[in-house]
Amino acid sequence: MEDSLQGQDGGNSREFLAFTLGAEEYGIDILRVQEIRGYEPPTRIANVQEFIKGVINLRGLIVPVVDMRIKFGLGNADYTDLTVVIILNINGRIAGIVVDSVSDVTTLLPDQIKPAPSVSSALDTDYLIGLGTIDERMLILVDIERLMTSEEMGLTDGALARF
Amino acid sequence: MIDDLSQFHQVFFDEATELLAEMERLLLEVDVASPSQEELNAIFRAAHSIKGGAATFGFTDISEFTHVLESLLDKIRKGEMALTAEHVDTFLAAKDVMAMLLEGHRAGGAVDLDQVAEVSRRLHALADPAAGKQAAAPLAAAAPEPGPEPVAQPATTVAPASGALAIFRIELPVTPDKDVEGLAAELGLLGTLTREPLPDGRMVFHLETDQTQSDVTAVCSFVVDADKLLITAREPAVAAAASVAVVAEPAAVPVAAAAAAVPVTASQADAAVKAAKREAGAPAGHESSSIRVSIEKVDLLINLVGELVITQAMIDQRVSTLDPVNHEALLNNFAQLARNTRDLQESVMSIRMIQMDYVFSRFPRMVRELASKLGKKVDFITQGASTELDKGLIERIIDPLTHLVRNSIDHGFELPAERLQAGKPEAGKLVLSASHQGGNIVIEVIDDGRGLNRARILDKARQNGLPVSDNMTDEDVWQLIFMPGFSTADVVTDVSGRGVGMDVVRRNITDMGGTVEVRSVAGQGSSVRISVPLTLAILDGMSVKVGTEVYIVPLAYVVESLQPGASELKEMAGQGRLIKVRDEYLPLVYLYERFGIVPKYAEPTESIVLVLGVDDKKFALLVDTLVGQQQVVVKNLETNFRKVPGISGATILGDGGVSLILDVSALMRGLA
């Protein structure tokens, strides 16, 4: 936790979980990740946005699962044995995101994180921390907390009014 | 030291709050004419325990205030003084003050110093009505200038107990001679009095006394308006402007809150602390057989047991496929486990259950005060106070009930004279009852007042533009009072209410999954019947299948299920689909349409129709098949997600999958 705070100040290195959506590689703050599990079909919820796949039973908790590939129109939203759900814990609220695969955990130093150009990806720059570069790889670093609590995702009650 | 104690403050607050509630209950129950020794002792003990606790934790204002009350109660219980209605009223007011002081310490709540002083004055007045016979008993009083000192940091108000004499110059306003004489006599009891007539005919007393200024003020205020008095202290022995409390011999009593600090010698302070410790030690005999546990711990436990139940159900599914002959022992053991799990679940759920007394106990006071304010006489009767209800629900039922009780007293009951004229007993009868009926608790508010006024309700409905007719049934008319905009204030009587409508009451109840019914007979009274489920955490559900999806319908809403014949299905222009069930046409909702599911049966005659009742309206829901009836543990969707239209929650099925619980009321509203 402290690490991430310092990281945001530009002081220390930060760890990111790298995953792929279609052809792009993304990274999110590892401290927001609770666990990674295989994809199991969730219970569908009627009349919600298409990318909200439904809810699953995570050891007694009812947890929503969203498919980032549908949300951002990246890759094919098909579900295979390799499809992965990253369970996030954002300020105590649990949610799962479906991604194509998870690659590794990467440590980035502040000078490896460059500001994102305004038209870099499917995601609005508001939700980006920047672009991380490790040798030949480029990670699109997502401010997952901001994204998941945004109205656009419709995962909280504040978003209901719009729907 | 202070830090060590502060961790127990919450315990003291909780305890004191309970003791105050207990005291109030006892005071309301006590028969003034012939109080039982036991009751008097119990009231005394409550005051005593609060005082002891307050003193231990250094809440001097509370302990001093309570001390006055305690001394008075002590006299009464020892038979030295007779209990009167005035005592009871004053004690109730004192209870309020104590609750206020307590809240001031607990949450920094506002403390009305005037009220504290006023009640304190009343207590002192009662303690020594004649201000005479027992010369030792000083009168403490409304401090005329409550200092800016916040009560939250009470000053230690220990003054020289004796010997320190002060001389007060008491300048009276224009006062009739006989009052001057009376006052002189009373003041004379406090010390040495000399008089000095002023040129303008007014009188000035000089009083040399060991009493405090506020004591002196108190005595005077029986005769003249304290505001018009001019009292000055001349002797430096006591810092003049400050009003001071005295802790002395048994009869001597400390003054209430508004007191400023006075220097004390170390030995006196020590003595006071020791006294306080003695007090604190005393109430040990009054032990409670319960423990306080935070609600989070209980809820965690309930959740865990919920998990256990689900796991058990999962194993149940596996085990049921085993050959009963080969696995007899395993199956027997498993059946035992299932029983234990069920028992465990019941026991754990019962932890959250609270007796309705928690709610009922707050009403006698309200009824009493409201009735006397309105000049009405009301006998208040509660039944089934030991009925238990989930803590979460019990707190949500207080407001609607308070509203209903108020309504009954305000609008329901006639004035005593009217009642006599109508051949009814002078005092109205208000019954608040609770009982279990199946998985529900039924709470009724019954009065024998004038009943609802059909004509006026219809008038009001017309004014509000509601479609009504004179030949509506009574039941339909009574339902109108639940419509928004039916302010109770002008429906039934012209006495102004609080402007909260019955629609809010009904909404509160339906939000809890409950129902409200009204019955009324003109001239004989009315009754409101509330029915709510015992708990929100577990629900009897009917699982239904549509396509591949399984939904839970709360059983409480299910009236019946049937397979519709082709002739019973009607399509009406502008009305949508209807189904005829027992000569009634009900709107028919296709769940697969509503939820965008591919159904197994497209043809309604192959499907199943559930007739669902909300309040007293019905509609029909088309599903593919019924799966079965089961108890489900209700999980909140909003914990990690958000509210979803048409869904009230989720549950975990025996196979570990999630199933959504239908929000029947919302589906119904969706029809409109």
Side-chain angles (χ1 to χ4, degrees), chain A residues 43-44 60 93-94 154 157, chain B residues 549 595 635 640-642 658:
Chain A
T43 299
R44 193 185 69 96
R93 285 175 75 95
I94 319 284
D157 261 326
Chain B
E549 298 180 11
F595 282 177
K635 302 269 180 181
N640 293 308
F641 190 42
R642 59 167 161 89
V658 178

Side-chain angles (χ1 to χ4, degrees), chain B residues 196-274:
Chain B
E196 177 198 350
L198 288 179
D200 60 4
R202 291 183 300 143
M203 183 64 79
V204 171
F205 293 136
H206 296 277
L207 176 66
E208 191 179 346
T209 178
D210 57 357
Q211 304 298 324
T212 67
Q213 179 168 347
S214 51
D215 294 343
V216 176
T217 314
V219 174
C220 297
S221 62
F222 293 122
V223 181
V224 293
D225 191 342
D227 294 335
K228 292 184 184 141
L229 270 178
L230 188 65
I231 302 181
T232 43
R234 287 216 315 251
E235 196 63 28
V238 174
S243 36
V244 166
V246 178
V247 179
E249 288 311 294
V253 266
V255 188
V262 164
V264 279
T265 66
S267 65
Q268 279 163 336
D270 273 352
V273 170
K274 272 183 201 147

Side-chain angles (χ1 to χ4, degrees), chain A residues 43-49 52 55-57 59-64 92-94 154-157 160, chain B residues 307 549 551 594-597 635-645 650-652 656 658-660:
Chain A
T43 299
R44 193 185 69 96
I45 298 176
N47 305 325
V48 294
Q49 299 95 322
I52 297 177
V55 285
I56 56 166
N57 164 22
R59 294 184 295 281
L61 295 176
I62 305 289
V63 170
R93 285 175 75 95
I94 319 284
L155 289 173
T156 55
D157 261 326
L160 184 61
Chain B
E307 295 316 304
E549 298 180 11
Y551 290 91
R594 207 45 98 75
F595 282 177
I597 308 167
K635 302 269 180 181
N636 197 332
L637 265 187
E638 285 109 284
T639 313
N640 293 308
F641 190 42
R642 59 167 161 89
K643 255 189 110 50
V644 175
T651 190
I652 295 168
V658 178
S659 184
L660 300 174

